[in-house]
Amino acid sequence: MTRSTPGRPWWRGGVCYQVYVRSFADSNGDGTGDLPGVTARLPHLASLGVDAVWLTPFYPSPMVDGGYDIVDHRDVDPLFGSLADLDALVAEAHRLGLRVVCDLVPNHTSDRHPWFRAALAAPPSSAARRRYVFHPVDKDHPDRPPNDWRSAFGGSAWRRVPSPDGGPDEWYLHLFSPEQPDLNWDDPQVPAEYADIVRWWLDRGVDGLRIDMAHALFKHPDLVDAGAGQHTEFRRNHLMPFFDQAPLHTLYRQWRAMVDAMPGERALIGEVCLFDADRQARYVRPDELHQAFTFELLECDWSAPALRDTIGRTLEAYRRVGALPAWVLNSHDAVRTLTRYGGGERGLRRARAAALLMLALPGAAYVYQGEELGLPQVDLPDEALRDPLWERSGRTLRGRDGSRVPIPWTVDDGTYGFSPDGADPPWLPQPDGWGALSVQRQTADPESTLALYRSAIRLRRALSDGAADELTWWDTGSDVLAFRRGDGFGCAVNVGDRAAPLTGVDRVLLASAPVPPACRSLLLPPDAAVWFVPA
Ligand code: NOJ
């Protein structure tokens, strides 16, 4: 049975584990992870102590963008199993006390979606075309797209298509690959369809939906130019005419009312990618989304002033609307922390310290599969790359496959427990020696990163029950970032490259690296974090 604390829904302070289904566990030996594979491995998540699991898209899809190009929003791709497999997964998760969140992709569909096929078969200005963002070709400049919008995967965000009746060509918008046409949220059929999809999944028993590109959907009505920095300078996202448009808030208010009327603690979780803390917080006002991913930590440098400023500003913006952040350090779209922080031993030390920092902060936290194993980004050979970014950037950007490599469960060779014996090779190759980082190996080692995550998530639950959502900074005047949760436990992180003294410590509760015993003060090693009882 899933846990429920009166007045404190799971989505306010819980830990959610992100499963990238393709790369988690392969039950049938075809080299791709699937839903029965996830079900079989749920005990790993239960032993980690997380509250919820988010499954990335498993819907019928040509898999141009890893399943974020959906053909049918109410079914399961045979590659991943069946609806019955999903039901079994949800039932088993609930039995283990885990909630299940599925992905909802409302900004675009696959170009094979029946709606888009109908649009291409219909003439300009037809009702079928109005469900997407079509635009007439300028007769004087037939090769000039309607504006300067860029696709996140490279090139113009517009593709020209012929009219089936021999009439003039039209452009259609795709903020991602051309195989992912953007929907027109100003057409009433689109919100009506998605309201139905949301209800359909929640009625089926899932506990929440993670809304892909939740800050997109509506586009500026005049399709004005976006200028420089599109999809690269994320801090300017809120200024882009294809993001953060006012009607989103009306939409999310409608969805919130619908979802809150359902029994249980259901949640709408927005992939809101705005780095203006106040603009971001607007999405989690009390009558809008339950959570919005807070990517601030993921984008922040390993520096005490930068981290203090980022965390402080974010908490304050959320506090003003009565919400808490949902912190993220890793995802299937980002370079893994260990590599981001410099790789090797130092990268690992920092990744472990960052985990204790994130898990000590007020709010919810997301853990991406393999993060609890301290996996590095994998450097894959060119021929293995599958991310559309690789080809569409003219092979200049390697893309996100390096954080999507199937994870190691066992020490043995072969697929390290990802697939059964005799299976096809995994869809992305696993590096040699991957088994040294496996769940099996790390379970046997009390100093492992897995052991650290297990301890931290369990302790966090016990500590958070008593600690307030307020955070008070301690002025250490050094490279040590330190704070206290209400009048509860403290957390200190040394982001400098020298050991630093920390005073006012009664007892260390958990440390990311060996620390000498504390007697009111302790010497915190570089790139290390501790949780402690203040003196
Ligand atoms: C965000 C998803 O996390 C990413 O993987 C995907 O490529 C884009 N949205 C487009 O759906």
Side-chain angles (χ1 to χ4, degrees):
M1 275 292 287
T2 49
R3 273 177 293 260
S4 192
T5 313
R8 198 169 174 82
W10 67 273
W11 43 264
R12 248 183 104 79
V15 179
C16 184
Y17 185 97
Q18 180 192 351
V19 165
Y20 190 68
V21 179
R22 286 166 114 183
S23 304
F24 192 66
D26 164 26
S27 74
N28 63 359
D30 64 359
T32 298
D34 47 46
L35 296 177
V38 178
T39 308
R41 294 291 188 185
L42 285 175
H44 171 63
L45 305 195
S47 84
L48 201 53
V50 300
D51 300 87
V53 48
W54 151 36
L55 306 170
T56 53
F58 47 72
Y59 315 108
S61 163
M63 300 294 283
V64 170
D65 182 21
Y68 283 95
D69 46 322
I70 299 173
V71 168
D72 180 352
H73 292 83
R74 298 178 186 80
D75 205 350
V76 173
D77 195 297
L79 187 64
F80 300 119
S82 63
L83 276 174
D85 292 328
L86 194 263
D87 292 340
L89 188 161
V90 172
E92 180 60 4
H94 286 172
R95 196 185 67 77
L96 292 169
L98 300 163
R99 310 206 185 235
V100 180
V101 172
C102 294
D103 228 303
L104 180 78
V105 184
N107 182 68
H108 43 264
T109 67
S110 161
D111 63 344
R112 313 259 184 96
H113 189 286
W115 275 11
F116 196 70
R117 287 175 185 265
L120 289 187
S125 307
S126 55
R129 286 206 172 186
R130 268 199 300 279
R131 294 187 291 219
Y132 293 88
V133 185
F134 279 85
H135 198 275
V137 164
D138 177 344
K139 280 195 283 312
D140 298 333
H141 304 283
D143 295 326
R144 191 188 289 168
N147 62 23
D148 71 349
W149 295 4
R150 312 276 305 162
S151 150
F153 295 151
S156 168
W158 296 93
R159 174 173 272 192
R160 213 172 85 184
V161 284
S163 169
D165 59 4
D169 289 1
E170 281 201 305
W171 299 96
Y172 75 84
L173 177 70
H174 58 89
L175 286 185
F176 291 89
S177 72
E179 294 82 4
Q180 293 165 290
D182 279 52
L183 286 160
N184 173 17
W185 275 82
D186 293 317
D187 182 278
Q189 283 194 55
V190 174
E193 169 71 353
Y194 272 87
D196 195 70
I197 296 168
V198 170
R199 213 176 295 114
W200 194 87
W201 281 105
L202 297 180
D203 280 345
R204 202 165 188 102
V206 308
D207 301 281
L209 292 165
R210 172 266 189 192
I211 307 166
D212 187 66
M213 296 301 293
H215 57 302
L217 282 61
F218 292 91
K219 312 293 162 6
H220 190 288
D222 300 330
L223 300 180
V224 296
D225 280 349
Q230 301 175 46
H231 307 295
T232 52
E233 291 171 27
F234 300 125
R235 296 196 180 276
R236 300 186 60 235
N237 272 359
H238 63 290
L239 302 175
M240 295 297 147
F242 39 75
F243 290 155
D244 199 25
Q245 301 291 301
L248 282 170
H249 298 286
T250 313
L251 177 74
Y252 294 143
R253 287 194 171 107
Q254 288 162 357
W255 285 9
R256 175 72 180 247
M258 176 170 87
V259 168
D260 280 358
M262 298 180 120
E265 286 176 10
R266 315 299 182 99
L268 294 169
I269 300 148
E271 186 204 21
V272 181
C273 201
L274 304 174
F275 290 90
D276 177 297
D278 292 314
R279 301 295 301 182
Q280 175 86 7
R282 287 156 56 87
Y283 289 80
V284 282
R285 288 179 287 196
D287 57 349
E288 298 199 32
L289 302 177
H290 300 80
Q291 272 188 358
F293 288 157
T294 311
F295 293 116
E296 296 283 0
L297 278 184
L298 197 156
E299 290 289 323
C300 192
D301 290 342
W302 191 245
S303 112
L307 284 165
R308 202 178 287 122
D309 176 58
T310 292
I311 294 168
R313 256 186 311 105
T314 305
L315 282 172
E316 179 52 22
Y318 280 68
R319 192 196 57 76
R320 279 199 290 271
V321 298
L324 289 169
W327 305 101
V328 180
L329 277 173
N330 286 280
S331 84
H332 65 296
D333 293 328
V335 173
R336 286 189 180 273
T337 21
L338 185 141
T339 306
R340 239 170 39 227
Y341 291 147
E345 281 301 310
R346 189 173 76 163
L348 179 60
R349 280 201 309 274
R350 289 183 174 179
R352 289 168 58 103
L356 287 199
L357 168 63
M358 174 176 78
L359 292 168
L361 293 173
Y366 279 76
V367 173
Y368 172 52
Q369 66 181 43
E371 174 180 335
E372 80 282 20
L373 304 176
L375 297 187
Q377 190 77 357
V378 179
D379 199 7
L380 291 160
D382 290 2
E383 61 280 8
L385 297 177
R386 303 279 282 272
D387 187 340
L389 250 173
W390 172 235
E391 290 298 342
R392 292 201 58 80
S393 68
R395 301 192 161 205
T396 54
L397 300 173
R398 301 192 71 73
R400 302 159 293 177
D401 292 317
S403 61
R404 300 174 175 182
V405 172
I407 63 171
W409 292 94
T410 60
V411 179
D412 299 337
D413 286 339
T415 63
Y416 307 104
F418 171 67
S419 296
D421 287 346
D424 294 343
W427 73 279
L428 284 176
Q430 298 163 300
D432 289 342
W434 209 218
L437 297 168
S438 63
V439 173
Q440 183 185 33
R441 169 68 61 81
Q442 297 201 35
T443 297
D445 174 4
E447 305 299 322
S448 68
T449 302
L450 176 58
L452 179 72
Y453 268 83
R454 282 187 175 143
S455 305
I457 293 170
R458 288 188 181 284
L459 190 55
R460 166 191 160 97
R461 189 189 303 285
L463 294 172
S464 312
D465 280 350
D469 288 333
E470 276 87 58
L471 174 153
T472 319
W473 293 108
W474 279 18
D475 186 8
T476 60
S478 67
D479 282 334
V480 175
L481 188 77
F483 57 85
R484 188 171 182 180
R485 286 282 302 277
D487 55 3
F489 73 107
C491 172
V493 192
N494 182 1
V495 301
D497 45 22
R498 259 182 241 158
L502 178 72
T503 53
V505 176
D506 178 46
R507 192 159 48 90
V508 171
L509 296 165
L510 189 62
S512 68
V515 288
C519 177
R520 295 200 73 79
S521 79
L522 66 81
L523 205 56
L524 194 55
D527 297 322
V530 284
W531 290 1
F532 58 92
V533 178

